[in-house]
mmCIF file of all heavy atoms in Angstrom:
data_model
loop_
_atom_site.group_PDB
_atom_site.id
_atom_site.type_symbol
_atom_site.label_atom_id
_atom_site.label_comp_id
_atom_site.label_asym_id
_atom_site.label_seq_id
_atom_site.Cartn_x
_atom_site.Cartn_y
_atom_site.Cartn_z
ATOM 1 N N ALA A 19 43.630 22.222 -23.435
ATOM 2 C CA ALA A 19 43.186 23.617 -23.419
ATOM 3 C C ALA A 19 41.717 23.690 -23.024
ATOM 4 O O ALA A 19 41.309 24.554 -22.233
ATOM 5 C CB ALA A 19 43.398 24.273 -24.779
ATOM 6 N N ALA A 20 40.918 22.798 -23.572
ATOM 7 C CA ALA A 20 39.486 22.776 -23.221
ATOM 8 C C ALA A 20 39.308 22.506 -21.733
ATOM 9 O O ALA A 20 38.448 23.110 -21.073
ATOM 10 C CB ALA A 20 38.769 21.732 -24.066
ATOM 11 N N THR A 21 40.114 21.632 -21.177
ATOM 12 C CA THR A 21 40.057 21.342 -19.736
ATOM 13 C C THR A 21 40.430 22.579 -18.930
ATOM 14 O O THR A 21 39.751 22.913 -17.954
ATOM 15 C CB THR A 21 40.979 20.174 -19.358
ATOM 16 O OG1 THR A 21 40.552 18.992 -20.065
ATOM 17 C CG2 THR A 21 40.981 19.917 -17.887
ATOM 18 N N LEU A 22 41.484 23.256 -19.327
ATOM 19 C CA LEU A 22 41.929 24.461 -18.609
ATOM 20 C C LEU A 22 40.882 25.557 -18.629
ATOM 21 O O LEU A 22 40.724 26.299 -17.669
ATOM 22 C CB LEU A 22 43.233 24.987 -19.213
ATOM 23 C CG LEU A 22 44.469 24.089 -19.037
ATOM 24 C CD1 LEU A 22 45.630 24.624 -19.829
ATOM 25 C CD2 LEU A 22 44.815 23.904 -17.562
ATOM 26 N N LEU A 23 40.135 25.620 -19.729
ATOM 27 C CA LEU A 23 39.098 26.658 -19.866
ATOM 28 C C LEU A 23 37.713 26.162 -19.478
ATOM 29 O O LEU A 23 36.758 26.936 -19.507
ATOM 30 C CB LEU A 23 39.081 27.183 -21.298
ATOM 31 C CG LEU A 23 40.359 27.898 -21.750
ATOM 32 C CD1 LEU A 23 40.296 28.208 -23.223
ATOM 33 C CD2 LEU A 23 40.562 29.170 -20.921
ATOM 34 N N ASP A 24 37.606 24.878 -19.127
ATOM 35 C CA ASP A 24 36.327 24.255 -18.758
ATOM 36 C C ASP A 24 35.300 24.418 -19.885
ATOM 37 O O ASP A 24 34.181 24.847 -19.666
ATOM 38 C CB ASP A 24 35.778 24.849 -17.434
ATOM 39 C CG ASP A 24 34.661 23.984 -16.863
ATOM 40 O OD1 ASP A 24 34.652 22.748 -17.118
ATOM 41 O OD2 ASP A 24 33.786 24.524 -16.157
ATOM 42 N N LEU A 25 35.753 24.072 -21.078
ATOM 43 C CA LEU A 25 34.895 24.104 -22.276
ATOM 44 C C LEU A 25 34.900 22.716 -22.901
ATOM 45 O O LEU A 25 35.878 21.985 -22.805
ATOM 46 C CB LEU A 25 35.459 25.072 -23.328
ATOM 47 C CG LEU A 25 35.486 26.552 -23.018
ATOM 48 C CD1 LEU A 25 36.251 27.291 -24.108
ATOM 49 C CD2 LEU A 25 34.071 27.096 -22.913
ATOM 50 N N PRO A 26 33.816 22.361 -23.613
ATOM 51 C CA PRO A 26 33.883 21.159 -24.412
ATOM 52 C C PRO A 26 34.930 21.341 -25.509
ATOM 53 O O PRO A 26 35.145 22.456 -25.993
ATOM 54 C CB PRO A 26 32.467 21.047 -25.053
ATOM 55 C CG PRO A 26 31.600 21.898 -24.170
ATOM 56 C CD PRO A 26 32.486 22.978 -23.628
ATOM 57 N N VAL A 27 35.617 20.278 -25.883
ATOM 58 C CA VAL A 27 36.673 20.370 -26.891
ATOM 59 C C VAL A 27 36.137 20.990 -28.186
ATOM 60 O O VAL A 27 36.784 21.833 -28.800
ATOM 61 C CB VAL A 27 37.301 18.977 -27.160
ATOM 62 C CG1 VAL A 27 38.332 19.071 -28.279
ATOM 63 C CG2 VAL A 27 37.949 18.433 -25.906
ATOM 64 N N ARG A 28 34.945 20.562 -28.551
ATOM 65 C CA ARG A 28 34.351 21.074 -29.808
ATOM 66 C C ARG A 28 34.171 22.603 -29.748
ATOM 67 O O ARG A 28 34.452 23.322 -30.697
ATOM 68 C CB ARG A 28 33.029 20.380 -30.047
ATOM 69 C CG ARG A 28 32.391 20.695 -31.340
ATOM 70 C CD ARG A 28 31.169 19.847 -31.529
ATOM 71 N NE ARG A 28 30.515 20.209 -32.770
ATOM 72 C CZ ARG A 28 29.473 19.599 -33.249
ATOM 73 N NH1 ARG A 28 28.959 18.553 -32.602
ATOM 74 N NH2 ARG A 28 28.923 19.978 -34.343
ATOM 75 N N THR A 29 33.717 23.089 -28.615
ATOM 76 C CA THR A 29 33.533 24.539 -28.424
ATOM 77 C C THR A 29 34.882 25.234 -28.470
ATOM 78 O O THR A 29 35.030 26.269 -29.136
ATOM 79 C CB THR A 29 32.819 24.845 -27.105
ATOM 80 O OG1 THR A 29 31.553 24.188 -27.105
ATOM 81 C CG2 THR A 29 32.648 26.342 -26.889
ATOM 82 N N TYR A 30 35.885 24.695 -27.795
ATOM 83 C CA TYR A 30 37.208 25.296 -27.811
ATOM 84 C C TYR A 30 37.738 25.396 -29.253
ATOM 85 O O TYR A 30 38.247 26.431 -29.641
ATOM 86 C CB TYR A 30 38.213 24.505 -26.937
ATOM 87 C CG TYR A 30 39.607 25.023 -27.106
ATOM 88 C CD1 TYR A 30 39.998 26.240 -26.518
ATOM 89 C CD2 TYR A 30 40.541 24.358 -27.890
ATOM 90 C CE1 TYR A 30 41.271 26.735 -26.707
ATOM 91 C CE2 TYR A 30 41.815 24.851 -28.071
ATOM 92 C CZ TYR A 30 42.182 26.037 -27.489
ATOM 93 O OH TYR A 30 43.422 26.541 -27.676
ATOM 94 N N ARG A 31 37.598 24.327 -30.010
ATOM 95 C CA ARG A 31 38.096 24.349 -31.402
ATOM 96 C C ARG A 31 37.361 25.368 -32.239
ATOM 97 O O ARG A 31 37.951 26.045 -33.069
ATOM 98 C CB ARG A 31 37.994 22.957 -32.002
ATOM 99 C CG ARG A 31 39.020 22.007 -31.426
ATOM 100 C CD ARG A 31 38.943 20.635 -32.059
ATOM 101 N NE ARG A 31 40.000 19.780 -31.504
ATOM 102 C CZ ARG A 31 39.888 18.494 -31.319
ATOM 103 N NH1 ARG A 31 38.779 17.855 -31.676
ATOM 104 N NH2 ARG A 31 40.880 17.811 -30.810
#
Side-chain angles (χ1 to χ4, degrees):
T21 298
L22 294 173
L23 295 173
D24 194 29
L25 293 172
V27 176
R28 186 174 177 175
T29 301
Y30 172 75
R31 287 182 178 147

